């Protein structure tokens, strides 16, 4: 069944959001597959289209370049922060405890910005 242009646009916007957070194309494609229940080929086409649109909109992020570990950590921290806000809004104490442990582990990962405990 063919997707409507509106649904395809939503998928591409989600791909652009994830790419702008620093996730690699294959990770974004997998996320789209799981989130929207689309095929692997469709998800990779959406990621390629999102990447092309980002380049034409002058969004400074080269999705083909390998992302250094510190930038991956920073992208994960931003994503974790979003999950934290959602769990906090839902008053989900157990998820907040799990997120705080994950946040601490990520914060300790490499680079000058991490703290030593």
């Amino acid at each position: 069944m063919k997707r409507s242009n509106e649904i395809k646009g939503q998928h591409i916007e989600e791909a652009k959001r994830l790419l702008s957070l620093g996730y690699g194309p294959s990770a974004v494609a997998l996320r789209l597959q799981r989130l929207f229940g689309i095929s692997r080929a469709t998800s990779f086409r959406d990621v390629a289209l999102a990447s092309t649109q980002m380049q034409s909109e002058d969004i400074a992020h080269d999705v083909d370049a390998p992302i250094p570990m510190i930038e991956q950590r920073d992208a994960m921290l931003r994503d974790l922060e979003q999950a934290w806000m959602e769990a906090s809004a839902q008053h989900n104490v157990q998820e907040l405890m799990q997120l705080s442990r994950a946040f601490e582990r990520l914060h300790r990962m490499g680079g000058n910005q991490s703290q030593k405990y």
Side-chain angles (χ1 to χ4, degrees), residues 17 19-22 24 29 37 44 57 74 93-94 99 101 105 116:
R17 184 184 75 79
L19 288 169
S20 69
L21 286 172
F44 274 98
E57 295 169 0
D74 291 344
V93 177
Q94 186 165 1
L99 288 170
R101 284 191 297 271
R105 277 187 236 116
K116 297 187 184 215

Side-chain angles (χ1 to χ4, degrees), residues 63-79:
V63 295
D64 294 327
I67 301 172
M69 182 56 90
I70 194 74
E71 289 182 28
Q72 287 180 359
R73 179 199 71 150
D74 291 344
M76 287 185 260
L77 283 171
R78 286 191 297 272
D79 202 34

